[in-house]
Amino acid sequence: GDSVTQMEGPVTLSEEAFLTINCTYTATGYPSLFWYVQYPGEGLQLLLKATKADDKGSNKGFEATYRKETTSFHLEKGSVQVSDSAVYFCALYMDSNYQLIWGAGTKLIIKP
Amino acid sequence: GAGVSQTPSNKVTEKGKYVELRCDPISGHTALYWYRQSLGQGPEFLIYFQGTGAADDSGLPNDRFFAVRPEGSVSTLKIQRTERGDSAVYLCASSPLGLHTDTQYFGPGTRLTVL
């Protein structure tokens, strides 16, 4: 079945470091891909999305490119801040069913 | 505008009791989803409504779980004969049309604890 695999956390970085959180997926069709973020004590909120191959989603300095050839949607940021500390979830949504399928989440800790 | 709201924010109940969890979606959103999230895991799909009807209830774990959306807006998730394994955060989300390209907007969740 369809699935999402993302790198295990926690990921600990120093402020201003470069961030990559890997996400790969398995899908029988052509999903839309999403990154959601959950800040401490808050609900899930969309960070960025891409709905077709080669699209790049971007928001708040974060980027991810939908790579069909490698079935990946890796999250990147050039210079992280302490305020980026959160749990990041990669997810896919197929046009053949009606549910977001989620990775397990990656906890990111940024130290000043 | 107002986001998705869920009540109560916390619910503690005893094993065997009945509980109802409420979700108020964003006004005008026709699609509504319920998920549950256990600690350290991603959300798990439960049920999807398009308007008043449950278009996909394949994620409901068993017949103790039931959800309704009678007027196509507010939804209630109902759990009968609760078990300790039902303890989790129950999340509600809505989206404009339910398209696979739509963004789903999430509520803050209801934390259910079954003693």
Side-chain angles (χ1 to χ4, degrees), chain A residues 30-32 34 36 38 43-46 49 51 89 93-95 97-100 102-105, chain B residues 33 35 37 40-43 45 48 55-56 58 91 98-108:
Chain A
Y30 303 98
S32 293
F34 301 81
Y36 277 82
Q38 193 166 33
L44 282 162
Q45 55 186 276
L46 178 73
K49 69 179 184 182
T51 59
F89 292 92
Y93 194 101
M94 295 298 302
D95 58 359
N97 60 32
Y98 305 102
Q99 51 184 279
L100 276 168
W102 300 79
Chain B
Y33 306 80
Y35 297 85
Q37 186 176 19
Q41 297 182 22
F45 170 78
Y48 158 64
D56 183 354
S58 63
L91 299 169
L99 301 176
H100 79 290
T101 51
D102 281 352
T103 296
Q104 291 185 27
Y105 297 88
F106 283 80

Coordinates of all heavy atoms in Angstrom, one line a residue, chain A residues 30-32 34 36 38 43-46 49 51 89 93-95 97-100 102-105, chain B residues 33 35 37 40-43 45 48 55-56 58 91 98-108:
Chain A
Y30 N -0.2 9.1 -8.5 CA 0.4 10.4 -8.5 C -0.1 11.2 -7.4 O -1.0 12.0 -7.5 CB 0.2 11.1 -9.9 CG 0.7 10.2 -11.0 CD1 -0.2 9.4 -11.7 CD2 2.0 10.1 -11.3 CE1 0.3 8.6 -12.8 CE2 2.5 9.3 -12.3 CZ 1.6 8.6 -13.1 OH 2.1 7.8 -14.1
P31 N 0.6 11.1 -6.2 CA 0.0 11.8 -5.0 C 0.4 13.3 -5.0 O 1.3 13.7 -5.7 CB 0.8 11.1 -3.9 CG 2.1 10.7 -4.5 CD 1.7 10.3 -5.9
S32 N -0.3 14.1 -4.2 CA 0.2 15.4 -3.8 C 1.0 15.1 -2.5 O 0.7 14.2 -1.7 CB -1.0 16.3 -3.4 OG -1.7 16.6 -4.6
F34 N 3.0 16.8 1.0 CA 2.9 17.8 2.0 C 3.9 17.7 3.1 O 4.3 16.6 3.4 CB 1.5 17.7 2.7 CG 0.3 17.8 1.8 CD1 -0.1 16.7 1.1 CD2 -0.4 19.0 1.6 CE1 -1.2 16.8 0.2 CE2 -1.5 19.1 0.8 CZ -1.9 18.0 0.0
Y36 N 3.9 19.1 7.0 CA 3.2 19.8 8.1 C 4.2 19.9 9.2 O 5.1 19.1 9.4 CB 2.0 18.9 8.5 CG 0.7 19.1 7.7 CD1 0.6 18.4 6.5 CD2 -0.3 20.0 8.1 CE1 -0.6 18.5 5.8 CE2 -1.4 20.2 7.3 CZ -1.6 19.4 6.2 OH -2.7 19.6 5.4
Q38 N 4.4 20.8 13.5 CA 3.7 20.9 14.8 C 4.6 21.5 15.8 O 5.6 20.9 16.3 CB 3.3 19.5 15.3 CG 2.3 19.4 16.4 CD 1.6 18.1 16.5 OE1 2.3 17.0 16.3 NE2 0.4 18.0 17.0
G43 N -1.3 22.9 17.2 CA -1.8 21.9 16.3 C -1.0 21.8 15.0 O -0.1 22.6 14.8
L44 N -1.3 20.9 14.2 CA -0.6 20.7 12.9 C -1.0 21.8 12.0 O -2.1 22.2 11.9 CB -1.1 19.4 12.3 CG -0.5 18.1 12.9 CD1 -1.4 16.9 12.5 CD2 0.9 17.9 12.4
Q45 N 0.0 22.3 11.3 CA -0.2 23.3 10.3 C 0.6 23.0 9.1 O 1.7 22.5 9.2 CB 0.1 24.7 10.9 CG 1.4 25.0 11.4 CD 1.6 26.3 12.1 OE1 1.8 27.3 11.4 NE2 1.4 26.4 13.4
L46 N 0.0 23.4 7.9 CA 0.7 23.1 6.7 C 2.0 24.0 6.6 O 1.9 25.2 6.9 CB -0.2 23.5 5.5 CG 0.5 23.3 4.1 CD1 0.6 21.8 3.8 CD2 -0.3 24.0 3.1
K49 N 3.6 22.5 0.2 CA 3.1 21.4 -0.5 C 3.5 21.4 -2.0 O 3.9 22.5 -2.5 CB 1.5 21.3 -0.4 CG 0.8 22.4 -1.1 CD -0.7 22.2 -1.0 CE -1.5 23.2 -1.8 NZ -3.0 23.0 -1.6
T51 N 2.0 19.5 -5.7 CA 0.9 18.7 -6.2 C 1.3 17.9 -7.5 O 0.5 17.1 -7.9 CB -0.4 19.5 -6.4 OG1 -0.1 20.5 -7.4 CG2 -0.8 20.1 -5.2
F89 N 6.2 16.6 9.8 CA 5.6 15.4 9.2 C 5.5 15.6 7.7 O 5.1 16.6 7.2 CB 4.2 15.3 9.8 CG 4.1 14.9 11.2 CD1 4.0 15.9 12.2 CD2 4.1 13.6 11.6 CE1 3.9 15.6 13.5 CE2 4.0 13.3 13.0 CZ 3.9 14.3 13.9
Y93 N -1.2 12.5 -0.3 CA -2.6 12.3 -0.5 C -2.8 11.9 -1.9 O -2.5 12.6 -2.9 CB -3.3 13.7 -0.3 CG -4.8 13.7 -0.1 CD1 -5.4 13.7 1.2 CD2 -5.6 13.6 -1.2 CE1 -6.8 13.7 1.3 CE2 -7.0 13.6 -1.1 CZ -7.6 13.7 0.2 OH -8.9 13.7 0.3
M94 N -3.5 10.7 -2.1 CA -3.7 10.1 -3.4 C -5.0 10.7 -3.9 O -5.9 11.0 -3.2 CB -3.8 8.6 -3.3 CG -2.5 7.9 -2.9 SD -1.2 8.2 -4.0 CE -1.9 7.6 -5.6
D95 N -5.1 10.7 -5.3 CA -6.4 11.1 -5.9 C -7.3 10.0 -6.0 O -8.4 10.1 -6.4 CB -6.1 11.8 -7.2 CG -5.4 10.8 -8.2 OD1 -5.1 9.7 -7.8 OD2 -5.2 11.2 -9.3
N97 N -7.9 7.9 -3.2 CA -8.6 7.7 -1.9 C -8.7 9.0 -1.2 O -8.4 10.0 -1.8 CB -7.9 6.6 -1.1 CG -6.5 6.9 -0.8 OD1 -6.1 8.1 -0.6 ND2 -5.7 5.9 -0.6
Y98 N -9.0 9.0 0.0 CA -9.5 10.3 0.6 C -8.7 10.5 1.9 O -9.3 11.2 2.8 CB -11.0 10.2 0.9 CG -11.7 9.9 -0.4 CD1 -12.2 8.7 -0.6 CD2 -11.9 10.9 -1.3 CE1 -12.9 8.4 -1.8 CE2 -12.6 10.7 -2.5 CZ -13.1 9.4 -2.7 OH -13.8 9.1 -3.8
Q99 N -7.5 10.1 2.1 CA -6.8 10.2 3.4 C -5.4 10.7 3.2 O -4.7 10.3 2.2 CB -6.9 8.9 4.1 CG -6.4 7.7 3.3 CD -6.5 6.4 4.1 OE1 -5.7 6.1 4.9 NE2 -7.6 5.7 3.8
L100 N -5.0 11.5 4.1 CA -3.5 11.8 4.2 C -2.8 10.6 4.8 O -3.3 10.1 5.8 CB -3.3 13.1 5.0 CG -3.4 14.4 4.4 CD1 -3.4 15.5 5.4 CD2 -2.3 14.6 3.4
W102 N 0.7 9.5 6.5 CA 1.7 10.2 7.2 C 3.0 9.4 7.5 O 2.9 8.2 7.7 CB 1.2 10.7 8.5 CG 0.0 11.6 8.4 CD1 -1.3 11.2 8.2 CD2 -0.1 13.0 8.6 NE1 -2.1 12.3 8.2 CE2 -1.4 13.4 8.4 CE3 0.9 14.0 8.8 CZ2 -1.8 14.7 8.5 CZ3 0.5 15.3 8.9 CH2 -0.8 15.7 8.7
G103 N 4.1 10.2 7.5 CA 5.3 9.6 8.1 C 5.2 9.7 9.6 O 4.2 10.3 10.1
A104 N 6.2 9.2 10.3 CA 6.1 9.1 11.7 C 6.5 10.4 12.4 O 6.4 10.6 13.6 CB 7.1 8.0 12.2
G105 N 7.0 11.4 11.6 CA 7.4 12.6 12.2 C 8.9 12.7 12.5 O 9.5 11.6 12.9
Chain B
Y33 N -12.4 15.5 8.0 CA -11.6 14.3 8.2 C -11.4 14.2 9.7 O -11.2 15.2 10.4 CB -10.2 14.4 7.6 CG -10.2 14.7 6.1 CD1 -10.4 16.0 5.7 CD2 -10.0 13.7 5.2 CE1 -10.3 16.3 4.3 CE2 -10.0 13.9 3.8 CZ -10.1 15.2 3.4 OH -10.1 15.5 2.1
Y35 N -8.8 12.0 12.3 CA -7.6 11.2 12.5 C -7.4 11.0 14.0 O -7.9 11.8 14.8 CB -6.4 12.0 11.9 CG -6.4 12.3 10.5 CD1 -7.0 13.4 10.0 CD2 -5.7 11.5 9.6 CE1 -7.0 13.7 8.6 CE2 -5.7 11.7 8.2 CZ -6.3 12.9 7.7 OH -6.3 13.2 6.4
Q37 N -4.0 10.4 16.7 CA -2.5 10.4 16.8 C -2.0 9.9 18.2 O -2.4 10.5 19.2 CB -2.0 11.9 16.6 CG -0.5 12.0 16.5 CD -0.1 13.4 16.2 OE1 -0.8 14.3 16.4 NE2 1.2 13.5 15.7
G40 N 4.3 10.1 19.6 CA 5.5 9.7 18.8 C 5.2 9.2 17.4 O 6.1 8.7 16.7
Q41 N 3.9 9.3 17.0 CA 3.6 8.7 15.7 C 2.9 9.8 14.9 O 2.4 10.8 15.4 CB 2.6 7.5 15.9 CG 3.3 6.4 16.6 CD 2.3 5.2 16.7 OE1 1.4 5.1 15.9 NE2 2.6 4.3 17.7
G42 N 2.8 9.5 13.6 CA 2.0 10.4 12.7 C 0.5 10.1 12.9 O 0.1 9.0 13.4
P43 N -0.3 11.0 12.4 CA -1.8 10.8 12.5 C -2.2 9.6 11.7 O -1.6 9.2 10.7 CB -2.4 12.1 12.0 CG -1.3 13.1 12.2 CD 0.0 12.4 12.0
F45 N -5.6 7.9 9.8 CA -6.9 8.2 9.3 C -8.0 7.4 9.9 O -7.8 6.2 10.1 CB -6.9 8.0 7.7 CG -8.2 8.1 7.1 CD1 -8.8 9.3 6.8 CD2 -8.9 6.9 6.7 CE1 -10.0 9.4 6.2 CE2 -10.1 7.0 6.1 CZ -10.7 8.2 5.8
Y48 N -13.7 10.1 6.6 CA -13.8 11.3 5.7 C -15.2 11.5 5.3 O -15.9 10.6 4.9 CB -12.9 11.0 4.5 CG -13.3 11.9 3.3 CD1 -13.1 13.3 3.3 CD2 -13.7 11.3 2.1 CE1 -13.4 14.0 2.2 CE2 -14.0 12.1 1.0 CZ -13.9 13.5 1.0 OH -14.2 14.2 -0.1
A55 N -17.8 9.4 3.1 CA -17.4 8.9 1.8 C -16.4 7.8 2.0 O -16.2 6.9 1.1 CB -16.8 10.0 1.0
D56 N -15.7 7.7 3.2 CA -14.7 6.7 3.4 C -14.6 6.5 4.9 O -14.1 7.4 5.6 CB -13.4 7.1 2.8 CG -12.3 6.0 3.0 OD1 -12.6 5.0 3.6 OD2 -11.2 6.2 2.4
S58 N -13.1 3.7 6.2 CA -12.2 2.5 6.2 C -11.2 2.5 7.4 O -10.7 1.5 7.7 CB -11.5 2.3 4.9 OG -10.6 3.4 4.7
L91 N -7.8 14.1 16.1 CA -7.7 15.3 15.3 C -8.8 15.4 14.3 O -9.2 14.4 13.7 CB -6.3 15.3 14.6 CG -5.1 15.3 15.5 CD1 -3.9 15.0 14.6 CD2 -4.9 16.6 16.2
G98 N -12.1 18.7 -0.7 CA -11.7 17.3 -0.5 C -10.9 16.8 -1.7 O -10.6 15.6 -1.8
L99 N -10.4 17.7 -2.5 CA -9.5 17.3 -3.6 C -8.2 16.9 -3.1 O -7.7 17.4 -2.0 CB -9.4 18.5 -4.6 CG -10.6 19.0 -5.2 CD1 -10.3 20.2 -6.1 CD2 -11.3 18.0 -6.0
H100 N -7.5 16.1 -3.8 CA -6.2 15.6 -3.3 C -5.1 16.7 -3.4 O -4.1 16.6 -2.8 CB -5.7 14.4 -4.1 CG -5.1 14.7 -5.5 ND1 -5.8 15.1 -6.5 CD2 -3.8 14.6 -5.9 CE1 -5.0 15.3 -7.6 NE2 -3.8 15.0 -7.2
T101 N -5.4 17.8 -4.0 CA -4.5 19.0 -4.0 C -4.8 20.0 -3.0 O -4.1 20.9 -2.7 CB -4.6 19.7 -5.4 OG1 -6.0 20.0 -5.7 CG2 -4.0 18.8 -6.5
D102 N -6.0 19.8 -2.3 CA -6.4 20.8 -1.2 C -5.5 20.6 0.0 O -5.0 19.6 0.3 CB -7.8 20.5 -0.8 CG -8.9 21.0 -1.7 OD1 -8.5 21.8 -2.7 OD2 -10.1 20.7 -1.5
T103 N -5.3 21.7 0.7 CA -4.7 21.7 2.0 C -5.8 21.3 3.0 O -6.9 21.9 3.0 CB -4.2 23.1 2.4 OG1 -3.1 23.5 1.4 CG2 -3.6 23.2 3.8
Q104 N -5.4 20.5 4.0 CA -6.3 20.1 5.1 C -5.9 21.0 6.3 O -4.7 21.1 6.6 CB -6.2 18.7 5.4 CG -6.8 17.8 4.4 CD -6.8 16.3 4.8 OE1 -6.8 15.9 6.0 NE2 -6.8 15.4 3.8
Y105 N -6.8 21.6 6.9 CA -6.6 22.5 8.0 C -7.0 21.8 9.3 O -8.2 21.3 9.4 CB -7.4 23.8 7.9 CG -7.0 24.6 6.7 CD1 -7.5 24.4 5.4 CD2 -6.0 25.6 6.8 CE1 -7.1 25.1 4.3 CE2 -5.6 26.3 5.7 CZ -6.1 26.1 4.4 OH -5.7 26.8 3.3
F106 N -6.1 21.7 10.2 CA -6.3 20.9 11.4 C -6.8 21.7 12.6 O -6.4 22.9 12.8 CB -5.1 20.2 11.8 CG -4.8 19.0 10.9 CD1 -4.3 19.1 9.7 CD2 -5.2 17.7 11.3 CE1 -4.1 18.0 8.8 CE2 -5.0 16.6 10.5 CZ -4.4 16.8 9.3
G107 N -7.6 21.1 13.4 CA -7.9 21.7 14.7 C -6.9 21.3 15.8 O -5.9 20.6 15.4
P108 N -7.0 21.8 17.0 CA -6.0 21.6 18.0 C -6.0 20.2 18.6 O -5.1 19.8 19.3 CB -6.3 22.6 19.1 CG -7.8 22.9 18.9 CD -8.1 22.7 17.5

